[in-house]
Amino acid sequence: MPGQPNQALLLRTLERLLEIPSADLPTALALACDAVADAMHADKVDAFLLDPAKHSLVAMGTSNQPLSSLQRKVGLDVLQIANGGRVVQVFETKAPFRTGRLQEDPDELKGIRETLKIQSKVGVPIELGGEVRGVLMVASLKVDFFTEDDERFVASISRWVGTIAHRAELIQEIGHNAVEQGRRAVAEELMTVLAHDLRNFLSPISGRLHILRRRAEQEQRAADVRDSDAALNAVGRLARLISNILDVARLDQGVFRLDLQPVDLASLCADIARTLSTPTHEVIVTTLDQEVIVRADPSRVGQCLENLVSNAIRHSPRGAPVVMSVSKKRLDEGEIGSVEVVDEGPGVPAEILPRIFDRFYAGKGSTGLGMGLYLAQRIAVAHGGNLSVESPPGKGARFWLSIPSYQDD
């Protein structure tokens, strides 16, 4: 073929590429490399793709030939970016490369020259989804084997190889997402069933603990009173967790109901502060406006704020307060009531911020199920409001809950 590529050969090669099944990525690329090797009478064809984790170019697809087997045997199918070489050069410069005297090329890797003994080489970038992600490299053991026309041929073919690779990646991703969605659906159903069953057990446990506490108080057994209080607090936390799980299920099923009425945000925040304040974490309420009345379901907004404050307490250092600031603001679309919850913790890592309100997403080191903030945001949205977060590095986290003000019709 050298020096003699023609339209018929290009069409035949494209036909072979189009016939490649939408298999896994390595298989699709291997078949594509075989088609190019046959068309160009090459001794080896590689489709290198970037592996960001290893900072390397990896031969994800290789033609089925003896030289390819030798390449894998000596480990030259994985090329570190830092080591350079002609494959890396094509990837970094995004420009084609061709030579017929590779043995005389000091910029090529020694292993490729001395172990594989390649003489001629032509390489072009591979684009996947409009981005250069790899290199298509064609090699021959013969001197001066590839021509300028061959280079143009490989450039044309590389676009189709990139299309094949991108299609295989998309199919893999679709399959992976389908499996994950199936697993998630099963997990969510199991959690909902368990939550229903656990709720049935909590009431008698809580009732028995209250009886034991009263008995201990009457008999002046202070240690048993403290232990009973601790057990009741644990049962309360479990009850709130079960409630969150069931509310997530209600949201999915479209049966999440709101009982809208005038709600005084300052009074609601004061009740929450009294309930959640501890000796090590005081919850402070500041009111910037005399009266902030919103149209809301008090139990649901209370649930939202309790999730925000509990989250702030968990991430605050011992002795640091959590502040709830209540105010009202006038926006273009009307007046809103706002509650800002601020802690003095380390803040939310930048990589977590974009997904902090995702369901079942918990940051590294978290012991929660990742439902509290998801549910808090959904409650805000259900009221026609919003929940947002800001967290400068090392300066704690600020959550803003906004709900439309009550309008007396």
Side-chain angles (χ1 to χ4, degrees), residues 4-306:
Q4 302 299 322
N6 53 56
Q7 194 74 11
L9 177 61
L10 177 61
L11 288 174
R12 285 199 301 272
T13 306
L14 291 181
E15 286 175 355
R16 285 189 60 180
L17 294 176
L18 291 172
E19 290 171 356
I20 293 175
S22 300
D24 60 283
L25 182 60
T27 300
L29 285 178
L31 292 172
C33 288
D34 281 338
V36 175
D38 289 346
M40 300 190 67
H41 306 291
D43 291 301
K44 179 173 69 70
V45 177
D46 297 300
F48 288 93
L49 293 184
L50 177 67
D51 183 341
K54 297 179 180 178
H55 202 57
S56 303
L57 290 166
V58 180
M60 293 292 293
T62 302
S63 57
N64 184 24
Q65 294 172 284
L67 193 59
S68 303
S69 299
L70 177 59
Q71 174 179 263
R72 287 191 295 270
K73 183 177 179 180
V74 298
L76 289 171
D77 55 332
V78 178
L79 304 178
Q80 294 286 331
I81 298 290
N83 291 342
R86 290 306 187 179
V87 173
V88 172
Q89 174 193 311
V90 172
F91 176 75
E92 292 185 329
T93 64
K94 302 177 177 58
F97 169 79
R98 176 171 55 88
T99 183
R101 304 275 175 168
L102 192 66
Q103 294 298 310
E104 302 170 9
D105 187 351
D107 291 327
E108 182 57 283
L109 297 177
K110 184 177 180 180
I112 293 177
R113 285 188 284 111
E114 297 185 359
T115 304
L116 300 185
K117 302 186 184 304
I118 292 172
Q119 295 282 1
S120 297
K121 204 175 210 184
V122 58
V124 296
I126 296 177
E127 287 191 10
L128 277 75
E131 177 187 3
V132 173
R133 294 264 306 280
V135 174
L136 181 64
M137 188 63 77
V138 185
S140 173
L141 297 174
K142 298 176 182 178
V143 175
D144 295 328
F145 191 71
F146 300 119
T147 67
E148 186 177 342
D149 286 338
D150 291 322
E151 182 180 318
R152 287 197 293 270
F153 181 84
V154 176
S156 299
I157 291 297
S158 71
R159 289 192 284 272
W160 288 90
V161 173
T163 300
I164 291 168
H166 193 213
R167 182 180 63 187
E169 277 191 340
L170 290 175
I171 290 173
Q172 280 187 338
E173 184 177 350
I174 291 170
H176 174 75
N177 290 341
V179 171
E180 288 302 312
Q181 288 174 1
R183 289 175 179 169
R184 183 168 177 171
V186 171
E188 290 173 4
E189 183 178 357
L190 177 60
M191 288 180 64
T192 303
V193 171
L194 288 175
H196 278 290
D197 290 344
L198 285 172
R199 187 174 60 175
N200 294 333
F201 290 108
L202 279 188
S203 293
I205 292 174
S206 180
R208 183 66 66 180
L209 285 172
H210 280 291
I211 293 173
L212 292 174
R213 189 193 183 284
R214 283 198 300 271
R215 186 183 302 161
E217 192 173 31
Q218 291 168 357
E219 297 174 1
Q220 298 183 345
R221 290 182 278 115
D224 289 340
V225 171
R226 288 195 299 272
D227 288 342
S228 297
D229 285 338
L232 284 167
N233 285 335
V235 169
R237 289 195 299 272
L238 180 58
R240 287 193 292 273
L241 174 61
I242 291 172
S243 177
N244 285 344
I245 293 173
L246 295 176
D247 281 338
V248 168
R250 293 185 187 105
L251 284 165
D252 289 341
Q253 296 162 10
V255 294
F256 191 81
R257 298 286 182 259
L258 298 177
D259 180 16
L260 298 176
Q261 56 188 277
V263 175
D264 185 337
L265 275 183
S267 297
L268 183 61
C269 289
D271 291 340
I272 292 171
R274 283 190 293 270
T275 301
L276 297 183
S277 285
T278 68
T280 56
H281 293 291
E282 182 183 7
V283 181
I284 301 171
V285 179
T286 63
T287 306
L288 304 181
D289 295 282
Q290 187 173 6
E291 190 178 62
V292 182
I293 307 297
V294 297
R295 180 177 174 82
D297 184 323
S299 63
R300 292 303 186 186
V301 173
Q303 181 183 8
C304 171
L305 290 170
E306 285 178 4

Side-chain angles (χ1 to χ4, degrees), residues 323-343:
V323 179
M324 304 176 74
S325 299
V326 184
S327 63
K328 57 185 176 184
K329 296 180 175 64
R330 182 166 294 280
L331 305 177
D332 292 340
E333 57 269 23
E335 192 174 87
I336 62 166
S338 173
V339 180
E340 180 182 356
V341 179
V342 183
D343 65 63

Side-chain angles (χ1 to χ4, degrees), residues 343-372:
D343 65 63
E344 297 181 8
V348 182
E351 66 272 15
I352 292 177
L353 270 178
R355 298 189 59 192
I356 195 168
F357 296 119
D358 287 0
R359 176 163 54 174
F360 300 130
Y361 181 78
K364 185 177 181 181
S366 174
T367 57
L369 294 177
M371 288 189 299

